[in-house]
Amino acid sequence: MKFCTTLSAALALPAGFAPRIAQALDEVKRPTLVWLEFQDCAGDTEALLRAANPTVGELILDILSVDYHETVMAAAGFQAEEALAKVVREQKGKYIAIVEGSIPMKDGGVYCCVAGRSALDIAREVCGNALATVAVGTCASYGGLPAARPNPTGAVGVSQAVPGAKVVNLPGCPLNADNLTATVVHYLVFNKLPAADALGRPLFAYGKRIHDNCERRAHFDAGQYVESWGDPAHAKGHCLYKMGCKGPETYHNCPTQKFNEKTSWPVASGHGCCGCSQPQFWDTMTPIYHRLPNVPGFGIESSADKIGMGIAAGTALAFGAHGLVSAFRKGDSAEGAKEDR
């Protein structure tokens, strides 16, 4: 019940849904899941192996039937590939596919092959016949680092490689395993995938800006910024915007869900958000330690400059902070329509 209550919170559902989640997990036949790895660093698999609520053992043995995962399965070689082929052949339209890593399209997809087949060929067969596909991590969602300029292999995300597939994107570098569990459990409880934004990301996990839930937000509103690494403001936990934090233009539930059994997340540890859950983040959000260009709907660049130079002080600072809050509220009113930016 503790696990079910935690999932209710992750899905932004009332605590009263916990018994319903427990009933679904108890009564519904464990769905078959296959996990594919392509152009990746295995970071999302590592995140899965360190899942805590539930543990990876509980996920694999109690909640899901993981019939194929190159990293954790006992079988290898022909036996492993036959296990995957059997799922596709015998459970067409009934299994869940998980994809980790981008899919290269250039030159027929020769830059990533498994068992003599290209990632593109495998993805089109497996994802094309799945009940649903969950793209875990930024690479599988949008192409990620392999797709950064000049993108020599023509790397893309699952949706672009398999246009007809039903895909849910869980970007992040790596993903938060709690969001994966919540997505699967949402399907088991409601018999449908969670509501998503224009980029195919579940709203329960990607419906709010990092900036909106950041514990350093009050310092931003007060004009209290870190000016250099290790300065007194940094030690006091002031805003990291001037140090390159991309939180104002990044949508993710990192501040509320956190990582490592909800221990912490990058900004809490003193490092700015690098925007890893946004499309083409490596091309659009870098250099990581440089400030953002003007962010639509915010108007914070000039304000930060003035506050940094000490121009806005006293009453002027109070009015400036009020103006900033108003700007954020205007942005929030159109948030649903601008989530894909």
Side-chain angles (χ1 to χ4, degrees):
M1 290 305 297
K2 179 181 178 182
F3 159 61
C4 294
T5 301
T6 301
L7 271 183
S8 295
L11 287 165
L13 295 172
F17 270 85
R20 185 172 174 181
I21 292 175
Q23 181 180 5
L25 293 179
D26 186 52
E27 296 179 354
V28 176
K29 178 182 179 296
R30 289 190 301 152
T32 296
L33 182 146
V34 296
W35 186 298
L36 308 175
E37 289 189 68
F38 298 133
Q39 286 182 313
D40 72 318
C41 65
D44 301 300
T45 290
E46 293 290 347
L48 174 71
L49 294 178
R50 287 158 179 77
N53 293 302
T55 65
V56 64
E58 292 169 332
L59 273 172
I60 293 175
L61 300 176
D62 299 333
I63 300 175
L64 305 170
S65 176
V66 181
D67 289 15
Y68 181 89
H69 191 313
E70 297 169 7
T71 305
V72 302
M73 67 192 304
F78 293 111
Q79 286 184 324
E81 297 312 307
E82 174 53 31
L84 177 61
K86 182 178 180 181
V87 170
V88 177
R89 182 174 62 248
E90 297 181 1
Q91 299 192 52
K92 182 177 180 180
K94 299 179 181 179
Y95 62 89
I96 298 172
I98 306 287
V99 178
E100 175 179 7
S102 61
I103 301 170
M105 301 274 282
K106 190 176 179 180
D107 299 328
V110 298
Y111 301 104
C112 180
C113 295
V114 179
R117 299 176 64 194
S118 72
L120 181 60
D121 184 36
I122 295 171
R124 285 179 172 171
E125 179 186 37
V126 177
C127 301
N129 288 292
L131 166 70
T133 297
V134 183
V136 296
T138 302
C139 294
S141 297
Y142 317 124
L145 293 180
R149 289 190 295 264
N151 192 3
T153 66
V156 299
V158 180
S159 295
Q160 190 171 341
V162 192
K166 183 187 295 183
V167 180
V168 176
N169 290 322
L170 297 179
C173 216
L175 95 154
N176 190 317
D178 292 348
N179 291 334
L180 172 59
T181 304
T183 299
V184 173
V185 169
H186 185 284
Y187 178 79
L188 297 181
V189 175
F190 299 104
N191 198 32
K192 63 180 180 179
L193 295 170
D197 65 11
L199 294 173
R201 304 175 298 189
L203 290 174
F204 74 82
Y206 302 89
K208 292 287 185 181
R209 283 183 294 261
I210 292 276
H211 190 74
D212 295 337
N213 290 316
C214 179
E215 61 259 44
R216 296 174 187 251
R217 170 65 184 272
H219 293 292
F220 174 87
D221 291 343
Q224 297 172 325
Y225 301 99
V226 176
E227 301 288 346
S228 63
W229 300 115
D231 69 8
H234 192 213
K236 293 177 182 178
H238 288 182
C239 179
L240 294 162
Y241 168 69
K242 288 190 176 183
M243 304 306 296
C245 182
K246 308 306 189 292
E249 203 174 5
T250 302
Y251 289 78
H252 209 169
N253 61 354
C254 298
T256 54
Q257 203 62 23
K258 301 183 180 180
F259 296 86
N260 300 324
E261 299 185 48
K262 294 185 179 295
T263 301
S264 189
W265 66 294
V267 172
S269 69
H271 191 286
C273 168
C274 63
C276 70
S277 61
Q278 295 301 114
Q280 295 84 46
F281 86 97
W282 192 255
D283 293 329
T284 60
M285 300 288 193
T286 52
I288 289 176
Y289 300 114
H290 285 202
R291 287 164 51 179
L292 280 166
N294 291 324
V295 181
F298 277 77
I300 56 180
E301 190 76 20
S302 60
S303 298
D305 285 335
K306 292 176 182 177
I307 293 170
M309 292 186 296
I311 293 177
T315 305
L317 175 59
F319 280 108
H322 176 76
L324 289 172
V325 172
S326 298
F328 282 116
R329 287 173 178 166
K330 289 178 182 177
D332 288 341
S333 66
E335 184 174 297
K338 297 183 178 179
E339 283 167 336
D340 56 335
R341 287 187 169 85

